[in-house]
Each structure stands twice: as structure tokens, then as C-alpha cells.
Amino acid sequence: MKYTRLTQQQLEELQPEFINFLATQSITAEEWRSLKNEKPEVAEEELDVFSDLIWEGVLAKVTYLENISEQHMHLFYLTDKEMKLFSVKVLNPAIDLRTQEGFGWFKRNFQSDFVEYLTASKAYSQDKNHDKFNLIQQGAVITKGELYQWFERIME
């Protein structure tokens, strides 16, 4: 397995896609029930293959990721060739960027001496999707990129 298995909730939400996947494997609903009961290891392998397929499709479309903690924001723009990063560090220990108040403080004080910025870019390894997946495993979430784009505008 290349990524991680989808959760039960994710599998339930993707049930129509999973049924289509099984159909491409020439597995009927009855055969699937039988597989789960008689050969659970084979059923597990099918779930793993399906999960990897879904992850590949999702990761291929991801353009922006955000990882926000108490005093840090890591905003990623994932281009075809490289990963670009805006990194923000708040030097005020009383601020938590994950709260509405903390983020409000940041918006009012983003140009103060209490905020440090770093920009960077990095080429992908041989497996671009796996690089993206690793960022998600480290806590990043997929976004539409509004925050990254806002930083791009103010940094010009």
C-alpha cells in the first residue's frame, strides 16, 4: 500500500465509486460479501488498492495545503515543478493562530516586529504525490489557497 487506507466513513461516502471499482475487477456484490467472509485478506487488499487509487486522484489535483499551529503557518502552493512555501512565525506567545482572536491579531499586526516571514521553494522528489501526501500526514489540510494568495498579494 502506497498511502493509507481510507477510513470507514470515507469508504461509505465513496460507496458508488467502490462499487464501480469492484465491477472493474469483475467482482459482484455477492462475491464481495463472500470475499469478506471467506478471504478477508483478499478483501483487505482490494480496499488498499481502492484507497491508493482514490489518494492518487486526490493528490494529483491538490494545489494548496495549509498547516497552521499556535504560532506558525505553513502555506504551500504546489506547482507542476516545485512546492512553494510561505512560512509565518508569530513571536507573541500569547497568540494562537488557530483561534479567531489570534488570527484577528495576526491580520492587524502582520507587518509588526512580532511576525517573521520566510519564503522557500523545493523541487519534488521522484514521486510528487507522495511528497504532497507526506505534508498531509504532517498535519497539512487541502485548501483553495485563499490565504496563500493573500500573502502573494501583500508580498508584492
Side-chain angles (χ1 to χ4, degrees):
M1 175 166 220
K2 187 172 179 180
Y3 302 108
T4 60
R5 182 176 300 163
L6 299 172
T7 65
Q8 188 61 40
Q9 180 184 356
Q10 290 166 328
L11 287 167
E12 287 169 8
E13 290 177 22
L14 293 168
Q15 186 177 8
E17 290 84 353
F18 186 63
I19 290 168
N20 287 338
F21 168 77
L22 290 176
T24 64
Q25 307 290 324
S26 300
I27 299 172
T28 65
E30 190 174 311
E31 289 171 325
W32 177 246
R33 281 189 287 279
S34 175
L35 261 180
K36 289 193 308 186
N37 293 329
E38 297 169 20
K39 296 181 181 175
E41 67 283 351
V42 174
E44 299 281 321
E45 288 174 17
E46 292 295 335
L47 288 171
D48 290 348
V49 170
F50 177 72
S51 294
D52 279 349
L53 232 118
I54 294 297
W55 273 113
E56 282 289 338
V58 168
L59 294 168
K61 295 176 185 173
V62 170
T63 306
Y64 294 98
L65 293 172
E66 294 178 2
N67 191 341
I68 301 175
S69 62
E70 290 177 4
Q71 270 90 38
H72 292 89
M73 276 192 278
H74 295 102
L75 311 172
F76 298 93
Y77 174 40
L78 308 167
T79 70
D80 285 339
K81 304 265 187 233
E82 64 185 357
M83 300 180 279
K84 295 183 177 186
L85 167 70
F86 277 133
S87 181
V88 178
K89 182 177 181 181
V90 173
L91 303 174
N92 181 342
I95 299 304
D96 184 343
L97 292 169
R98 300 170 300 181
T99 66
Q100 198 169 11
E101 297 82 20
F103 198 76
W105 177 93
F106 167 74
K107 288 196 298 190
R108 290 186 306 277
N109 296 282
F110 72 92
Q111 291 180 313
S112 77
D113 291 341
F114 290 102
V115 181
E116 291 180 350
Y117 297 96
L118 171 82
T119 59
S121 60
K122 177 182 173 185
Y124 294 108
S125 70
Q126 290 183 346
D127 190 341
K128 181 189 325 187
N129 284 348
H130 204 267
D131 293 343
K132 294 176 185 182
F133 182 76
N134 285 338
L135 292 171
I136 291 169
Q137 288 292 98
Q138 294 168 27
V141 293
I142 299 168
T143 69
K144 293 180 180 168
E146 289 103 346
L147 199 48
Y148 186 96
Q149 292 165 13
W150 179 77
F151 271 101
E152 231 175 11
R153 285 190 301 275
I154 68 164
M155 294 295 181
E156 288 178 346

